[in-house]
Amino acid sequence: MGAGAKTSRWVTGAMLALAATQALAADEPSRLDQVIERKVLNICTTGDYRPFSYRPDGANDFVGIDIDLGRSLAKSLDAEAVFIQTKWSNLLADFKAKCDVAMSGISVTLPRQREAFFSDMYLVNGKAPIVRCDDVSKYQTTEAINQPATRVVVNPGGTNEKFARANLAKAQIQLFPDNRVIWQEIAQGRADVMVAESVEVKLQEKLHPGLCAVNPDQPLQYGEMGFLLPRGDTVFKAYVDQWLHLAKASGEFDRIFNANMK
């Protein structure tokens, strides 16, 4: 087959795919229009992940970077932000059943991408360890952590557990259900290491004297964060991406980020 024929087949395939997408869009109203009509933006969030999404025991309101960004997105739509609590193991199911967007410091992964759209990336953020400060030199690399004597504590159901299972299989992996207080397991000597996003371990280092992030500016793996959006809804994704771009360009994103890192 000649190059011209191949090109023609590629163009035809692309046009059919575009037509199918347009037909889908015509049959199903965009979530953008639905949110504007109901004046409510339903946001799934975990409430256990500082500095992105956190709700202390007994508190009515969530706080964090993604919470403030969620309110900003809702305001841009003349809508109210309603936060719906989920947990990492149920994130995708709850998002698809209950929410317009999920905002909770969510790592961009290909398995998640199979089931939903992601917004444009808003933060580059890789996995980094946090340990007792006396042990910083001991746990400099994945290989150093991945030893039978090392006790690695993780919150279940998210990318922290996936990273530990994939890269630290020789270590003792301990599941701890409450990500809000998991750091005490290290501080009180019941675990040695937790591997989490570099932004998170930087903040926890500030909040927990005696704990130190290990090389957070040189993380163990590359990672990105984005917002989960309904699969196939290109109209809504385009709006969210444009809102995010303007929030960054105007300085609003940096103000929100810096305020939540104190």
Side-chain angles (χ1 to χ4, degrees):
M1 183 182 296
K6 290 182 180 178
T7 301
S8 177
R9 288 185 61 182
W10 183 89
V11 170
T12 300
M15 291 177 64
L16 289 172
L18 177 61
T21 300
Q22 291 172 337
L24 177 64
D27 291 340
E28 299 180 11
S30 170
R31 193 67 57 92
L32 175 65
D33 301 316
Q34 296 175 30
V35 170
I36 292 172
E37 181 177 356
R38 77 170 100 98
K39 296 188 180 301
V40 170
L41 179 69
N42 293 313
I43 303 171
C44 277
T45 197
T46 62
D48 67 349
Y49 191 14
R50 296 181 75 170
F52 299 98
S53 170
Y54 186 69
R55 183 161 72 175
D57 286 333
N60 293 322
D61 295 329
F62 295 89
V63 295
I65 294 168
D66 281 32
I67 304 306
D68 291 341
L69 289 172
R71 292 193 176 105
S72 172
L73 175 58
K75 183 179 179 181
S76 78
L77 292 162
D78 296 320
E80 176 190 1
V82 173
F83 294 97
I84 298 170
Q85 188 155 16
T86 184
K87 55 185 178 180
W88 293 105
S89 56
N90 291 346
L91 175 64
L92 280 166
D94 284 346
F95 162 66
K96 289 189 282 188
K98 305 174 184 178
C99 297
D100 305 305
V101 58
M103 306 174 76
S104 200
I106 300 168
S107 296
V108 176
T109 69
L110 293 178
R112 287 171 176 161
Q113 183 76 61
R114 294 173 199 156
E115 300 187 50
F117 272 4
F118 273 103
S119 69
D120 285 349
M121 173 271 295
Y122 69 94
L123 195 66
V124 173
N125 196 25
K127 300 290 185 188
I130 187 168
V131 303
R132 290 179 294 276
C133 292
D134 291 342
D135 291 339
V136 167
S137 62
K138 185 177 177 181
Y139 298 116
Q140 287 285 305
T141 64
T142 302
E143 291 74 20
I145 299 169
N146 190 28
Q147 299 296 326
T150 307
R151 298 167 299 171
V152 176
V153 64
V154 296
N155 55 307
T159 57
N160 290 346
E161 182 182 6
K162 287 186 173 75
F163 179 88
R165 300 280 184 204
N167 299 280
L168 306 173
K170 294 179 183 177
Q172 303 172 42
I173 297 175
Q174 305 171 359
L175 298 182
F176 189 84
D178 193 340
N179 203 44
R180 297 170 300 171
V181 296
I182 195 170
W183 320 98
Q184 295 301 323
E185 297 300 292
I186 303 170
Q188 296 175 12
R190 293 186 290 270
D192 301 310
V193 180
M194 181 173 175
V195 177
E197 262 62 44
S198 53
V199 170
E200 183 182 19
V201 297
K202 284 182 179 181
L203 177 63
Q204 296 301 333
E205 179 182 60
K206 294 180 182 178
L207 298 175
H208 296 88
L211 296 186
C212 288
V214 181
N215 304 324
D217 295 324
Q218 298 175 310
L220 301 177
Q221 68 159 186
Y222 176 81
E224 297 179 350
M225 287 183 169
F227 310 126
L228 281 177
L229 300 169
R231 179 178 171 181
D233 194 335
T234 57
V235 174
F236 190 38
K237 174 174 162 51
Y239 182 89
V240 173
D241 288 343
Q242 184 64 28
W243 158 81
L244 178 59
H245 165 73
L246 293 174
K248 288 190 169 187
S250 69
E252 181 185 18
F253 180 90
D254 286 341
R255 290 193 294 272
I256 288 173
F257 183 89
N258 292 331
N260 284 282
M261 287 299 292
K262 297 177 180 178

